[in-house]
Amino acid sequence: MLILGQMVVFFLMIFAGALARRYDIIIPNNQEQFSSLIVNIACPCLIISAAMHAEEHMELIQVVETYTAYGLLLGMMCAVGFLLPLILRFRGRLRGAVNLSFWFNNSLFMGLPLVQGVYGDQAVVYMTLFFIPVNLLFFIYGVSSISIHKRRGADLIRMLINPGIVASLIACVIYFAEVPTNPLIMQAFTMIGALTAPLAMMMIGASLRDIHVRHMLTDRKLLLYTFLKAVVLPIPLLIVMKMFVTNPYILGCRLVIVAAPTGGMVAMVALLYNKVAYPLMTEIIALSTMISVATIPLVSVLTGI
């Protein structure tokens, strides 16, 4: 099974990152620099290189189908994310953060390499189309829902202009305009982009050293929420999607988007705008990441995607 094999590879990379932190190869002082390398250089190169390598080009009807599917999926995930913290009775200041942690998953650092490894470069183009609306939703709705204080419009606009969005726009231009690319430039972008998966997984492994594992594994509400998020709720969401979508690339991307662990940006935003929620967000990210090696293949089998 391709997805299980890819997740095992990711797990080994996470383990390598944990070892690197254990033996002080990755240390707190350089973790920020590694993260910046991934966010600002490696991942944007991966997005752009996928557009350069894509052999099939979507027609307008396929683009419309893709964005319709994204809109339906994000709408369902936001609705479930809003209701779940109310049902589980999280405290008021935590509800917006839990809402965001449900629908903003690690589709960039874990999802993108996973999609590329299982479905190829063409699927990466479909994922790239997703990054534009989900980033807009994250910074407009997500940040406002997690924040204790109102954010100024200028702050939101500044955060929207990030390398991931810029790379997604460049990739769309290259892909839809069928811009010819010099083979040497393509090779350079491909080789730099290939750093994304190993570096991102190693950084996840390194960050586990900072988690209070005993508290994380004994918090019943956290365990229940993570189980619902990672296993139970993705299944009906994906089954509904299968009723409307037949494109295998879109379905494969939807699987990764729904079943991937919570994205690290949620913790970063919580640290900036709602410090009360920060410890819970780090635990949700760590726990959902650790179990994703098993839960993503499980959801794939149960939904037939």
Side-chain angles (χ1 to χ4, degrees):
M1 185 179 176
L2 286 175
I3 291 180
L4 178 59
Q6 195 67 41
M7 292 307 300
V8 170
V9 171
F10 282 176
F11 176 78
L12 294 174
M13 292 177 183
I14 291 171
F15 182 67
L19 286 178
R21 178 67 187 275
R22 169 68 178 81
Y23 292 103
D24 293 330
I25 298 170
I26 297 176
I27 59 176
N29 288 342
N30 65 23
Q31 279 182 270
E32 185 177 345
Q33 283 72 29
F34 276 118
S35 298
S36 180
L37 175 64
I38 299 166
V39 173
N40 297 314
I41 299 177
C43 198
C45 284
L46 175 61
I47 293 171
I48 293 171
S49 69
M52 293 175 176
H53 283 284
E55 296 178 356
E56 301 176 21
H57 285 76
M58 286 185 277
E59 302 293 336
L60 178 60
I61 186 66
Q62 292 174 299
V63 177
V64 172
E65 179 189 13
T66 302
Y67 275 118
T68 302
Y70 286 148
L72 176 62
L73 181 64
L74 284 173
M76 291 191 298
M77 292 181 72
C78 286
V80 174
F82 178 79
L83 293 173
L84 196 56
L86 296 175
I87 294 170
L88 295 180
R89 297 183 179 180
F90 280 97
R91 289 186 292 122
R93 286 189 174 186
L94 298 178
R95 288 174 185 170
V98 174
N99 172 8
L100 182 59
S101 74
F102 180 82
W103 62 263
F104 191 80
N105 291 334
N106 198 351
S107 54
L108 186 62
F109 295 152
M110 179 174 282
L112 196 62
L114 178 59
V115 161
Q116 185 185 41
V118 175
Y119 300 101
D121 287 323
Q122 183 67 21
V124 174
V125 175
Y126 280 87
M127 282 292 286
T128 297
L129 293 178
F130 172 74
F131 293 142
I132 298 171
V134 80
N135 273 281
L136 288 169
L137 190 64
F138 176 78
F139 287 114
I140 294 172
Y141 169 64
V143 171
S144 64
S145 68
I146 200 173
S147 179
I148 297 175
H149 309 289
K150 297 286 185 181
R151 306 310 306 166
R152 293 181 300 175
D155 293 336
L156 296 177
I157 292 172
R158 246 192 319 269
M159 292 192 308
L160 277 173
I161 304 173
N162 62 72
I165 283 284
V166 173
S168 297
L169 293 173
I170 292 172
C172 286
V173 171
I174 293 172
Y175 179 79
F176 290 111
E178 300 186 33
V179 177
T181 308
N182 183 284
L184 295 178
I185 295 176
M186 185 186 300
Q187 184 179 6
F189 272 87
T190 301
M191 294 178 71
I192 296 172
L195 295 171
T196 303
L199 282 180
M201 294 305 105
M202 289 180 71
M203 291 308 298
I204 289 172
S207 68
L208 296 178
R209 181 83 180 269
D210 302 321
I211 303 297
H212 299 291
V213 177
R214 180 176 295 180
H215 177 268
M216 182 177 69
L217 296 179
T218 55
D219 187 329
R220 293 182 180 179
K221 187 179 291 187
L222 170 63
L223 294 173
L224 175 59
Y225 167 76
T226 306
F227 178 70
L228 291 172
K229 168 187 163 45
V231 180
V232 177
L233 294 173
I235 294 172
L237 288 172
L238 290 169
I239 289 174
V240 170
M241 288 298 300
K242 285 185 70 176
M243 296 169 60
F244 300 97
V245 178
T246 58
N247 186 310
Y249 292 126
I250 296 179
L251 288 175
C253 292
R254 298 302 70 72
L255 166 67
V256 172
I257 290 166
V258 174
T262 298
M265 278 293 292
V266 175
M268 296 179 196
V269 170
L271 186 61
L272 290 173
Y273 304 133
N274 186 350
K275 287 183 172 60
V276 174
Y278 179 71
L280 177 62
M281 292 304 100
T282 58
E283 291 179 344
I284 288 175
I285 292 166
L287 184 58
S288 62
T289 299
M290 286 190 292
I291 67 174
S292 65
V293 177
T295 57
I296 293 178
L298 176 63
V299 171
S300 174
V301 170
L302 294 176
T303 58
I305 297 177

